[in-house]
Amino acid sequence: QVQLKESGPGLVQPSETLSLTCTVSGFSLTSYSVSWVRQPSGKGPEWMGRMWYDGDTAYNSALKSRLSISRDTSKNQVFLKMNSLQTDDTGTYYCTRDWEGLWDYWGQGVMVTVSS
Amino acid sequence: DIQMTQSPPSLSASLGDKVTITCQASQNINKYIAWYQQKPGKAPRLLIRYTSTLESGTPSRFSGSGSGRDYSFSISNVESEDIASYYCLQYDNLWTFGGGTKLELK
């Protein structure tokens, strides 16, 4: 069955870099695109960026200067790196499987706290 | 970038009521709007795509309509399981969520 699972540090220091991994199963990264969506506590979700099935990427313009998404298809993993973290980057980070432009499967999410 | 203005931010309803949420896009989004439901501690769940197409498993009391820049989402006969937050999402040009509507019981 289709599964996505996010992993990464729960606590990041301000100004440092966040590195998250999305490990997928039940589908191929060369057939489906994967997006990252985050949600600050108590606020609405925000699309961060997308790894297309063909290896291309797209980013939210508000995050583009700090964000990088890559993948390792042999390991069924998609990676997110975002630098210069601040306290308002605190929240839950999800990876999602894209289908027909929307997201049909979501990971459980990983809570990231930016704090010293 | 396309902006989505969702209203109201919160809504109080009694069981059996009809409620309506609206979203206005900053430009024509060609009916590429979806509606998500989110309950605390859970990932958002897709209810409606392309303005009015119900996803498999979405009860028929949910509906959507609109065109151009203006869209609406309604729940007729609100049930207790509908208490959640709702978000619109445009996917015509990348993806932008609305600010959300929290539905509470009166």
Side-chain angles (χ1 to χ4, degrees):
Chain A
Q1 70 277 29
V2 172
Q3 291 188 326
L4 303 95
K5 186 171 184 179
E6 307 88 350
S7 58
L11 180 66
V12 179
Q13 303 275 344
S15 79
E16 295 199 339
T17 297
L18 172 67
S19 294
L20 297 176
T21 299
C22 174
T23 302
V24 310
S25 59
F27 68 97
S28 170
L29 293 177
T30 58
S31 297
Y32 289 86
S33 303
V34 169
S35 283
W36 287 93
V37 175
R38 70 173 181 175
Q39 186 165 24
S41 301
K43 296 186 178 180
E46 176 184 40
W47 172 74
M48 300 181 71
R50 188 191 213 201
M51 169 59 72
W52 289 78
Y53 61 90
D54 63 1
D56 200 1
T57 53
Y59 297 106
N60 183 323
S61 62
L63 302 173
K64 190 172 185 176
S65 64
R66 301 195 287 141
L67 185 61
S68 174
I69 297 175
S70 60
R71 70 180 183 179
D72 183 336
T73 55
S74 67
K75 294 183 177 179
N76 295 319
Q77 293 180 323
V78 180
F79 309 106
L80 176 147
K81 287 190 189 301
M82 189 164 70
N83 59 31
S84 305
L85 253 61
Q86 300 302 322
T87 54
D88 59 3
D89 293 312
T90 292
T92 300
Y93 287 70
Y94 297 97
C95 60
T96 67
R97 189 181 81 161
D98 292 10
W99 181 68
E100 294 189 350
L102 290 168
W103 308 309
D104 58 351
Y105 286 91
W106 296 62
Q108 63 191 21
V110 60
M111 179 66 199
V112 174
T113 301
V114 182
S115 175
S116 55
Chain B
D1 293 9
I2 297 175
Q3 307 302 314
M4 300 296 289
T5 303
Q6 183 173 343
S7 62
S10 64
L11 208 44
S12 183
S14 300
L15 297 178
D17 280 356
K18 179 178 180 178
V19 298
T20 298
I21 298 167
T22 63
C23 267
Q24 182 175 67
S26 58
Q27 64 189 64
N28 180 7
I29 55 171
N30 301 300
K31 295 195 170 187
Y32 286 101
I33 188 169
W35 294 90
Y36 282 82
Q37 177 192 67
Q38 188 177 31
K39 297 185 177 180
K42 300 291 188 181
R45 171 195 169 199
L46 179 61
L47 298 177
I48 291 175
R49 67 168 64 226
Y50 197 59
T51 298
S52 58
T53 301
L54 269 61
E55 291 296 290
S56 174
T58 300
S60 58
R61 63 181 180 275
F62 292 92
S63 64
S65 64
S67 62
R69 294 175 55 206
D70 297 305
Y71 299 86
S72 63
F73 167 84
S74 294
I75 311 172
S76 59
N77 299 315
V78 167
E79 299 189 5
S80 56
E81 66 183 30
D82 301 334
I83 301 308
S85 292
Y86 293 86
Y87 298 93
C88 63
L89 170 74
Q90 73 79 20
Y91 59 111
D92 181 60
N93 186 341
L94 299 181
W95 296 266
T96 313
F97 283 95
T101 298
K102 187 173 183 179
L103 176 60
E104 298 173 318
L105 269 181
K106 193 179 290 183

